[in-house]
Amino acid sequence: MIVIIVGVSGYPLIKTIYYSLTGAKLIAPDVTSIFVGFDNFVRALSSSKFLEAIWHTTYFAVTSVGAEMVIGVLVALLLNEAFAGRTLLRAMLILPLALPTVVNAMMWRLIYNPDFGALNALLLQIGMLDAYRSWLGDPATALDMVILADVWKNFPLVALIALAALQTVPKDLYEAATLDGAGVWNRFWRITLPAILGPLSVALVLRTIEAFKVFDIIYVMTRGGPASSTKTVSFYVYQEAFAYMRVGSGASYALIVVLISACLIAGYMYLIRKQGEV
């Protein structure tokens, strides 16, 4: 297992670190590997475009994960209640999660289409728009529209995790709290939230990491545009290393992303450990 881990993860990481310290090009990287020290890292951290990509990624991660957590918990609370058709709704909840990201992105591109998109048609019919609008062609709305597509696909994961946790909460606790005069909000704050907080923390860690390294939905829906308004760090790394063929600087950007992700993981693990000690 150690040999497999080192071969699959260790060697590529060491190679990336090596390339990040050179001016290697995609064509014959070993031939063009001139040692430049930390120049790539200095150039990356002083690049306004790269820092803008970090801001776009942070905004994407915070907004999408926050919305997924809120919507997921609300949907889980709804599906935890007894009503006709609950089983069907639980089965339908899995559908967005089962869609490949590329298919989901293409579907939402059609929904946002400025000529025949369903979103424009709906808003026009209910009087919220006077004319069709290019949602993905406007820098002011493009990133938010991508976030909406990402939230629709991934909130079921949070909902399923929260719903599974809710199944373990004894009904007697709610009945006793109701008899003691606890309202809906107090029952949620004192009973429901503590019961699902652990599983939600795991979902939060997983979704934050995935959101921070988002690439595929950006590539399919906007290609980083318009005017770089949806360019994230992963897309920036892709362009630098493969479109512009600058493997050395692309590797340095990738390592910066890895370090940021590692800090996020360490922070979440610390919070989870502190929560377990309480």
Side-chain angles (χ1 to χ4, degrees), residues 4-213:
I4 293 174
I5 292 173
V6 170
V8 174
S9 301
Y11 175 76
L13 179 61
I14 294 173
K15 199 71 172 179
T16 302
I17 295 174
Y18 166 73
Y19 281 141
S20 70
L21 301 175
T22 69
K25 305 296 182 182
L26 185 61
I27 301 176
D30 292 327
V31 177
T32 57
S33 297
I34 302 174
F35 183 77
V36 296
F38 293 98
D39 288 353
N40 289 329
F41 294 93
V42 173
R43 191 180 303 111
L45 295 177
S46 60
S47 170
S48 59
K49 293 182 178 179
F50 184 66
L51 295 179
E52 184 181 31
I54 292 179
W55 161 246
H56 291 159
T57 307
T58 304
Y59 177 78
F60 180 94
V62 172
T63 306
S64 63
V65 174
E68 289 163 18
M69 299 299 290
V70 173
I71 297 173
V73 170
L74 292 176
V75 171
L77 291 172
L78 173 64
L79 296 180
N80 194 47
E81 300 295 326
F83 58 90
R86 182 179 68 171
T87 303
L88 178 61
L89 286 179
R90 286 182 175 180
M92 291 177 62
L93 182 65
I94 305 176
L95 293 179
L97 196 60
L99 279 179
T101 303
V102 173
V103 175
N104 176 64
M106 291 298 297
M107 180 185 71
W108 280 93
R109 277 191 65 181
L110 292 175
I111 293 174
Y112 295 146
N113 189 280
D115 298 320
F116 52 82
L119 180 61
N120 278 319
L122 175 63
L123 296 180
L124 194 66
Q125 289 179 6
I126 63 178
M128 294 186 65
L129 281 182
D130 297 326
Y132 275 30
R133 182 174 179 181
S134 178
W135 299 100
L136 296 178
D138 185 353
T141 60
L143 187 56
D144 291 326
M145 294 298 103
V146 176
I147 289 173
L148 177 59
D150 185 73
V151 169
W152 182 86
K153 182 186 183 327
N154 291 299
F155 87 86
L157 174 65
V158 180
L160 290 172
I161 292 175
L163 182 60
L166 287 171
Q167 302 295 306
T168 65
V169 182
K171 300 297 182 183
D172 298 342
L173 292 178
Y174 292 107
E175 294 174 359
T178 303
L179 291 175
D180 288 339
V184 175
W185 174 250
N186 281 329
R187 291 199 300 270
F188 173 79
W189 187 256
R190 301 292 182 180
I191 300 175
T192 305
L193 187 59
I196 66 176
L197 198 56
L200 281 183
S201 299
V202 176
L204 182 65
V205 172
L206 294 176
R207 283 301 307 135
T208 301
I209 295 173
E210 288 298 316
F212 197 83
K213 60 181 186 179

